[in-house]
Amino acid sequence: MSANVNAPPSRATAAAGTVLLTLAAAQFLMTLDSSVMNVSISTVASDLGTTVTGIQTAITLYTLVMAALMITGGKLGQIYGRQRVFAVGCVVYGLGSFTTALAPNLTVLLIGWSLFEGIGAALILPAIVALVASNFGPGDRPRAYGLVAASGAIAVAVGPLIGGLLTTYASWRWVFAGEVVIVIAILALAKRMTSEPPDRSTHLDLAGTGFSALGLGLVVFGVLRAGSWGFVNPKPGAPSWMGISPVVWLVVAGGVVLYGFLAWERRRIALGHSALFDPVLLSNRQLRAGLTSFTFQYLLQSGLFFTVPLFLSVALGLSAVGTGVRLLPLSLALLVTAVGVPKFFPHTSPRRIVQVGFLGLLAGILSLAASLELGVGPEVVSLPMLIAGLGMGALASQLGSVTVSAVPDEQSAEVGGVQNTLVYLGASLGTALAGAVLVSALTASFFSGVDANPAVPDDLSSAAKVELASGVPFMSDDAMRSALVEAQVDTAAVDAIVAANEDARLAGLRSALALLAVVAVLAVFLTNGLPTRQPGTSATATEDP
């Protein structure tokens, strides 16, 4: 069903534009929070009388709640109607934003942001996917999904700019107060959307809900803790279960629970009962390929958004505002490409466009890695960010349409739940992998540089290895120098250690980018299941024989 199919063309176009603006605004809002909070951690912690660890816990729980309940949120949209669940999600999310804006302490922040906003997002995000399918025909969906996906990626890029401006000149609380206003506007505009009718014959599978939430929660929590605990080998001071990092056990346990979840769903379907998720969907080759590409896209995207701000803010000392400004070329390129590709290349193979998108990301990553040298300024990121933005925009213009067109429209919310779960899993994995490789390479390079410099006494080098056994922190030269001077280290040794730190930072960044480049190459080779024709021009959904 498309929006206002019986209306005159001008009114139908205006109505479709309003629907698209509403859904894009909702997607932007869902992504903005974490991006803003990441640059405001220390300020929020001080304001609430808590620690940086406490705010990081809130960020982790927010992601955890969303990922654990995303599939359930998609199913609720099918049962009660996508438009209604979208509206309820907006109300819950708005309540969470209002509570967060007034939070006097960490406990209230956890309730408002981590819990209420997490639940609201789990209801809204799958509904967005389904509502695009309900309001736009197959030929219009690439542009619609492209703009919606672009709005989320742009929120990640401009979040530091918005957060930096408000934190510096006003208060972080105004971000969440502004979200309440935007939610009210979205609710007012949401009435113009059309939606598939509710399926009252379907009932929520409560046991399946528990299985999926537990399994996804274990996997996502394990990935989120990898940076602190280590992926396989536990870091010094981190917990250890049978000599192995808890991350391994959490991911394995989550995988076992999810395997049991799929078995449970198959059994319910065989008995003729309602299921939370139909495992048969995973036999759809196009859907599998689309979901895989989505996961890789957000893995690469989050890894890039992790490394580049580190380089700009720590290595070069830019403020949050300055960092956000340097990311604007990516945002602009992403938006132009996401909207422009469907308009100017409406019949080009989705598989080819996605492959070009991953290659664009690869080119941006490699050009950035090649530009990182001692003494360079922030301008070196401009061209790589522009190229990477073009690649992201190409991916955004196709993948949403590809996944939804692989199944009937009535299953779009179900697909939306799985899709957004994998998006957040991929994003968490991208940050964790890039961070782990960066710290590992940074540590190895730092100690190698210190050991090779005769200006650093052996006892100081040995003490540093013991003190920093869990990994050398990613520090600016000024912060490193201040800490060494405070510890009354000899001036010659200070200069040598700061020089080693400068070299090691670049080694860590290059290593993280090299990992992302390898992932981008792998992603290109995993696109063969994507269709070669645009949705609506032929039957594109295919299944394995």
Side-chain angles (χ1 to χ4, degrees):
M1 183 187 304
S2 59
N4 299 308
V5 292
N6 295 320
S10 58
R11 289 181 57 195
T13 300
T18 301
V19 169
L20 188 54
L21 175 64
T22 305
L23 296 176
Q27 184 75 40
F28 181 89
L29 203 60
M30 299 301 100
T31 314
L32 183 66
D33 271 4
S34 297
S35 182
V36 168
M37 192 66 82
N38 282 332
V39 301
S40 310
I41 288 179
S42 59
T43 303
V44 176
S46 175
D47 197 15
L48 297 180
T50 185
T51 62
V52 169
T53 301
I55 304 303
Q56 288 173 330
T57 299
I59 294 173
T60 298
L61 289 177
Y62 174 65
T63 303
L64 200 61
V65 169
M66 271 196 298
L69 298 179
M70 203 73 75
I71 293 177
T72 302
K75 195 65 177 181
L76 289 172
Q78 179 184 347
I79 297 173
Y80 298 106
R82 282 81 168 177
Q83 188 176 10
R84 178 178 298 176
V85 168
F86 176 83
V88 170
C90 285
V91 171
V92 174
Y93 192 91
L95 176 62
S97 296
F98 181 77
T99 303
T100 304
L102 301 177
N105 52 48
L106 179 61
T107 301
V108 177
L109 180 78
L110 289 171
I111 294 171
W113 189 46
S114 303
L115 182 62
F116 286 170
E117 288 199 29
I119 293 172
L123 296 174
I124 293 169
L125 288 168
I128 289 175
V129 176
L131 287 168
V132 171
S134 298
N135 287 271
F136 297 91
D140 295 325
R141 288 177 188 171
R143 180 179 65 89
Y145 280 117
L147 186 58
V148 169
S151 65
I154 289 171
V156 176
V158 302
L161 178 60
I162 296 173
L165 285 170
L166 289 176
T167 301
T168 302
Y169 299 109
S171 169
W172 60 272
R173 297 178 184 274
W174 284 106
V175 175
F176 295 93
E179 287 185 347
V180 176
V181 176
I182 295 174
V183 164
I184 292 172
I186 289 173
L187 284 170
L189 294 173
K191 297 176 181 179
R192 302 192 179 192
M193 294 187 291
T194 59
S195 175
E196 296 289 332
D199 184 0
R200 297 294 187 183
S201 64
T202 301
H203 302 285
L204 184 64
D205 173 15
L206 295 178
T209 297
F211 278 133
S212 68
L214 177 61
L216 291 169
L218 288 170
V219 171
V220 173
F221 182 66
V223 171
L224 289 172
R225 298 304 299 168
S228 301
W229 293 345
F231 272 95
V232 179
N233 296 318
K235 292 187 175 182
S240 172
W241 300 348
M242 298 176 63
I244 299 176
S245 170
V247 170
V248 174
W249 299 110
L250 287 168
V251 172
V252 169
V256 171
V257 172
L258 290 175
Y259 182 84
F261 163 66
L262 293 177
W264 171 261
E265 296 301 286
R266 291 189 187 96
R267 181 175 180 274
R268 285 186 63 85
I269 292 172
L271 293 174
H273 298 157
S274 299
L276 184 68
F277 174 75
D278 186 355
V280 171
L281 288 175
L282 298 179
S283 67
N284 186 309
R285 185 167 180 254
Q286 176 180 324
L287 179 60
R288 278 204 318 271
L291 293 175
T292 299
S293 291
F294 254 120
T295 305
F296 275 91
Q297 175 192 352
Y298 280 87
L299 190 158
L300 291 166
Q301 184 174 298
S302 65
L304 198 58
F305 281 134
F306 173 80
T307 53
V308 175
L310 270 182
F311 169 68
L312 293 171
S313 62
V314 178
L316 300 184
L318 266 64
S319 65
V321 175
T323 298
V325 169
R326 291 295 173 178
L327 293 175
L328 285 179
L330 183 148
S331 302
L332 295 174
L334 193 158
L335 179 61
V336 170
T337 311
V339 176
V341 167
K343 180 177 179 63
F344 295 105
F345 304 97
H347 305 298
T348 303
S349 161
R351 182 191 301 174
R352 184 61 53 83
I353 294 175
V354 170
Q355 290 171 341
V356 170
F358 280 125
L359 290 174
L361 264 172
L362 174 63
I365 291 168
L366 291 177
S367 62
L368 178 60
S371 302
L372 296 182
E373 299 288 347
L374 292 176
V376 298
E379 67 279 356
V380 300
V381 307
S382 298
L383 181 59
M385 290 296 93
L386 181 67
I387 298 171
L390 293 174
M392 288 182 191
L395 295 172
S397 72
Q398 302 298 311
L399 290 178
S401 178
V402 163
T403 55
V404 171
S405 67
V407 299
D409 283 356
E410 56 267 21
Q411 291 183 303
S412 56
E414 199 169 345
V415 169
V418 177
Q419 173 183 304
N420 281 289
T421 299
L422 291 175
V423 161
Y424 280 94
L425 179 60
S428 302
L429 191 58
T431 302
L433 284 173
V437 171
L438 186 149
V439 170
S440 178
L442 168 68
T443 302
S445 177
F446 178 78
F447 287 137
S448 176
V450 168
D451 287 341
N453 197 315
V456 182
D458 291 340
D459 59 338
L460 181 58
S461 176
S462 300
K465 289 179 180 178
V466 173
E467 184 71 22
L468 303 173
S470 62
V472 175
F474 197 89
M475 297 175 64
S476 67
D477 292 340
D478 290 341
M480 176 73 76
R481 186 178 295 276
S482 297
L484 293 171
V485 170
E486 186 177 340
Q488 299 181 339
V489 176
D490 177 75
T491 302
V494 169
D495 292 338
I497 292 173
V498 169
N501 180 57
E502 190 174 10
D503 290 334
R505 276 202 315 265
L506 291 181
L509 288 167
R510 290 195 194 101
S511 297
L513 291 170
L515 170 70
L516 295 177
V518 172
V519 172
V521 172
L522 178 61
V524 173
F525 286 103
L526 294 177
T527 58
N528 285 338
L530 297 175
T532 57
R533 296 178 182 272
Q534 287 290 342
T537 59
S538 69
T540 54
T542 58
E543 294 187 2
D544 290 335

